[in-house]
Amino acid sequence: QVQLVESGGGLVQAGDSLRVSCAASGHPYSTYAMGWFRQAPGQEREIVAAETWNGGDTYYADSVKGRFAISRDYAKNTLYLQMNNLKPEDTAVYYCAVSPGSDWSQVRKTAEDYHYWGQGTQVTVSS
């Protein structure tokens, strides 16, 4: 059973940076596609960033392009979302998601494509 445990959320001011982490365990696969999603109150869950298993294709939502960066450390089985120049509209619960063993050549952007999810971490940006 794959488990994803997120950490690093919090309350910051506009313009600050924050890095959220997602530690993965329990999967028998050494590679996986990954994605970061977010959900603000009263809104649907939306994709923020995603990457194929080998980093061959990466996607960022227009709203975060140039400010956010997705990365992973396979040795630590940890995913990261670095968020810079945060804005109040970035306030949301952030979720990591993985699809172990996926050999996609292009990223997938829908929640249904990812099999395992973290519990979510709250990011609040004050103006």
Side-chain angles (χ1 to χ4, degrees), residues 61-81:
D62 288 342
S63 58
V64 306
K65 199 172 295 183
R67 300 188 297 121
F68 288 15
I70 191 173
S71 64
R72 79 183 81 196
D73 185 333
Y74 269 125
K76 296 181 179 179
N77 282 328
T78 302
L79 321 176
Y80 303 99
L81 180 67

Side-chain angles (χ1 to χ4, degrees), residues 6-12 18-21 36-41 83 86 88-95 119-126:
E6 300 183 27
S7 60
L11 172 63
V12 296
L18 200 63
R19 188 177 77 166
V20 293
S21 303
W36 286 92
F37 293 75
R38 68 185 181 186
Q39 187 167 20
M83 302 181 288
L86 282 160
E89 51 264 42
D90 295 319
T91 295
V93 177
Y94 284 72
Y95 300 90
Q119 81 284 3
T121 186
Q122 177 70 46
V123 173
T124 303
V125 185
S126 63

Side-chain angles (χ1 to χ4, degrees), residues 49-69:
E51 188 175 80
T52 52
W53 68 275
N54 61 354
D57 190 29
T58 304
Y59 167 82
Y60 292 95
D62 288 342
S63 58
V64 306
K65 199 172 295 183
R67 300 188 297 121
F68 288 15

